[in-house]
Amino acid sequence: MNESESALLTDLYQLTMLQGYFAERMEDTAVFEFFVRRLPAQRNFLVAAGLEQVLHFLEHFHFTPGELDWLKGTGRFRRDFIEYLAGLRFNGDVHAMPEGTVFFPDEPILRVTASLPQAQIVETRIINLLNFQTAIASKAVRCGLVAPDKTLVDFGLRRAHGAEAGLLAARACYLAGFTATSDVLAGQLFDIPLSGTMAHSFVQACDSEEQAFMRFARANRENVVLLLDTYNTETAARKVVQLAPKLHAEGISIQGVRLDSGDLAEHARQVRRILDAGGLQEVRIFASGSIDEFELQKFARAGAPIDGFGIGSRLDTSADAPYFDCAYKLQEYAGRPRRKRSEGKATWPGRKQVFRSYGDDDRFAFDTLALENETAPGTPLIVPVMRAGRRLAPLTSLTESRRRVAAELRRLPVDLQRLEPAKAYPVCVSPGLRALTTELDRANQ
């Protein structure tokens, strides 16, 4: 069994609560919703991602005999409760915003309807999957907004916080519009195009830079991208010009060169002049090294002649906003709406829908957060995706999700597309939802 599918991939309090629900026979239908309370300081919007992994987890949820034996050995749980867990499966319903949908604070992107124990036990993994991929996709899409005509490659596996993080970051980046990934396993699992060049160690292992370039080109005839900055960037560029005719005589073309250190914009200008003067106008310049959307914006404003970027550490860790203030909260139980009123963490009760309205320019105008059974202006964003524990449609392709992101961005207000903080996008609360909230507060004074 894959560790990422284990039912033990949860917090202890999920199991202690579950034992309490079991003891008191609290098994009525519960409704939980996942949402983000507020945007990080550097975000004007978020992009929903991670739904496919959530649905897979729910479809395969169960405790293995080995896990049950281990739980029994902890001495924390009653024997009859362990026996109950042996038969526990998720057979509830899920409604969600499709992956790639742009959303805003307080808007649920996923709703789970199931018996209370089933809906509760999956909380931790749902938050884990949605929070991470949404964070990465929401940062990656900003890279595309400031560098729309550039090749963008996910380079972050080696700096990601673990193997699963690296794989899911590659997926989230591609969903958000990246061109490719360097992560070979992500290429296999998610059918993402692969892209890679060479490391400094290859150059250092050879007796000369020229030898390194020739050996690499001959071994990788269809993917000749040469790393220039092991010793001196501009000198290496001149060597590329000198070697190009020899390689051409062997039927090998140089596709590109990579810059990885120093003043990338200035090096790119110098290298471009050297390549162009040597008749290598078709050779592309690719840059990497501590790049994110803010650096991409600087390159664009400086007019740096860079054709593509490898983006890694800052992206796959979402360095400037590594987590969201997100939550998975109980909104209804046993047919009655529920509301949390904690200071700074109050929730809107009941099953909800998000309606999006558009202006005359066909861009987002405002959203309405409403009760599921209310009528509100706009297009409903939350749709059924799972019923009785089984998904309602086949696996959504990343290609389809990429198209959704692109379509969403075309309709996103221009001020929200900028990196600088913009005026908050309006999310209105419906009269019915406000009335229900007031009613619950009065009843629980």
Side-chain angles (χ1 to χ4, degrees):
M1 180 181 184
N2 190 321
E3 291 176 354
S4 66
E5 297 177 1
S6 173
L8 294 183
L9 195 56
T10 189
D11 293 303
L12 177 61
Y13 79 170
Q14 306 291 3
L15 288 165
T16 57
M17 285 191 291
L18 221 64
Q19 185 161 242
Y21 296 153
F22 171 76
E24 298 298 327
R25 300 295 185 263
M26 296 175 65
E27 296 183 337
D28 286 329
T29 299
V31 177
F32 283 77
E33 291 178 340
F34 175 92
F35 58 95
V36 174
R37 291 190 180 98
R38 57 187 63 84
L39 294 175
Q42 298 289 350
R43 300 289 182 273
N44 292 322
F45 64 93
L46 301 176
V47 175
L51 176 62
E52 288 299 331
Q53 281 66 45
V54 168
L55 296 181
H56 179 85
F57 176 71
L58 295 177
E59 280 188 312
H60 295 85
F61 179 85
H62 70 284
F63 288 90
T64 67
E67 290 170 341
L68 294 169
D69 286 342
W70 183 85
L71 286 174
K72 187 186 304 180
T74 67
R76 292 176 177 270
F77 305 103
R78 293 165 34 177
R79 181 178 296 275
D80 57 349
F81 176 62
I82 297 293
E83 293 172 354
Y84 164 78
L85 291 181
L88 186 63
R89 301 292 187 274
F90 182 84
N91 56 25
D93 300 340
V94 179
H95 292 70
M97 291 186 187
E99 284 195 291
T101 302
V102 166
F103 72 99
F104 301 93
D106 285 334
E107 298 182 343
I109 66 170
L110 178 134
R111 181 170 74 237
V112 171
T113 306
S115 71
L116 180 57
Q118 291 179 30
Q120 182 76 69
I121 190 64
V122 298
E123 173 187 12
T124 297
R125 186 59 169 152
I126 285 177
I127 294 176
N128 174 255
L129 289 167
L130 294 180
N131 175 78
F132 179 72
Q133 285 200 65
T134 295
I136 303 304
S138 298
K139 186 170 179 67
V141 79
R142 286 157 56 86
C143 295
L145 285 172
V146 296
D149 301 319
K150 305 296 184 181
T151 297
L152 301 179
V153 180
D154 160 51
F155 264 23
L157 174 59
R158 64 182 58 195
R159 302 287 173 78
H161 296 165
E164 185 185 53
L167 289 170
L168 295 184
R171 181 183 185 276
C173 288
Y174 190 63
L175 181 152
F178 268 46
T179 310
T181 181
S182 66
D183 187 335
V184 179
L185 183 55
Q188 181 200 32
L189 294 177
F190 306 123
D191 197 26
I192 302 173
L194 294 176
S195 179
T197 60
M198 62 194 301
H200 296 102
S201 56
F202 190 94
V203 178
Q204 291 174 286
C206 296
D207 293 333
S208 69
E209 209 165 28
E210 293 91 340
Q211 183 187 74
F213 290 166
M214 291 296 289
R215 287 180 173 178
F216 185 84
R218 286 167 176 162
N220 300 274
R221 300 171 68 91
E222 304 303 320
N223 180 36
V224 183
V225 181
L226 305 174
L227 181 60
L228 300 186
D229 68 324
T230 303
Y231 306 120
N232 180 280
T233 301
E234 284 72 26
T235 298
R238 296 185 184 95
K239 293 175 182 177
V240 170
V241 170
Q242 294 168 1
L243 294 174
K246 298 178 184 179
L247 291 171
H248 183 72
E250 298 180 26
I252 301 173
S253 297
I254 300 172
Q255 281 84 46
V257 295
R258 178 161 72 99
L259 313 176
D260 190 56
S261 60
D263 185 336
L264 295 175
E266 182 56 29
H267 281 311
R269 282 188 281 268
Q270 295 297 330
V271 168
R272 185 76 271 163
R273 292 191 190 101
I274 293 168
L275 296 176
D276 289 352
L280 300 182
Q281 293 88 350
E282 76 283 359
V283 173
R284 292 162 55 85
I285 296 177
F286 189 82
S288 57
S290 299
I291 294 171
D292 61 9
E293 68 268 40
F294 302 104
E295 292 300 309
L296 290 175
Q297 186 177 70
K298 292 177 184 177
F299 292 138
R301 290 173 174 173
I306 302 175
D307 302 292
F309 298 89
I311 307 175
S313 304
R314 296 182 183 179
L315 175 58
D316 283 32
T317 60
S318 188
D320 65 314
Y323 67 92
F324 294 148
D325 183 5
C326 59
Y328 175 89
K329 293 301 178 185
L330 180 68
Q331 312 292 40
E332 179 183 304
Y333 178 60
R336 295 172 51 201
R338 310 286 169 149
R339 164 169 153 82
K340 178 179 176 180
R341 294 194 295 171
S342 304
E343 183 177 351
K345 295 185 177 181
T347 60
W348 295 103
R351 308 182 190 205
K352 292 178 284 298
Q353 177 61 269
V354 178
F355 296 88
R356 179 154 294 159
S357 296
Y358 301 89
D360 293 337
D361 59 358
D362 200 36
R363 294 185 183 272
F364 300 2
F366 63 91
D367 288 1
T368 302
L369 182 64
L371 293 170
E372 182 188 34
N373 58 4
E374 277 190 283
T375 300
T379 302
L381 302 183
I382 299 172
V383 298
V385 294
M386 176 175 276
R387 182 171 296 120
R390 292 291 176 264
R391 66 174 69 220
L392 296 177
L395 179 73
T396 301
S397 71
L398 272 179
T399 299
E400 180 181 341
S401 296
R402 280 166 61 84
R403 284 197 292 264
R404 180 175 292 107
V405 171
E408 292 277 280
L409 295 180
R410 285 193 294 270
R411 306 180 82 176
L412 189 67
V414 175
D415 60 331
L416 298 184
Q417 297 183 29
R418 301 188 181 101
L419 299 188
E420 298 76 21
K423 181 180 178 181
Y425 176 78
V427 177
C428 309
V429 179
S430 71
L433 182 52
R434 289 190 181 279
L436 176 62
T437 303
T438 300
E439 177 185 337
L440 287 180
D441 287 351
R442 286 174 178 167
N444 291 283
Q445 288 180 346

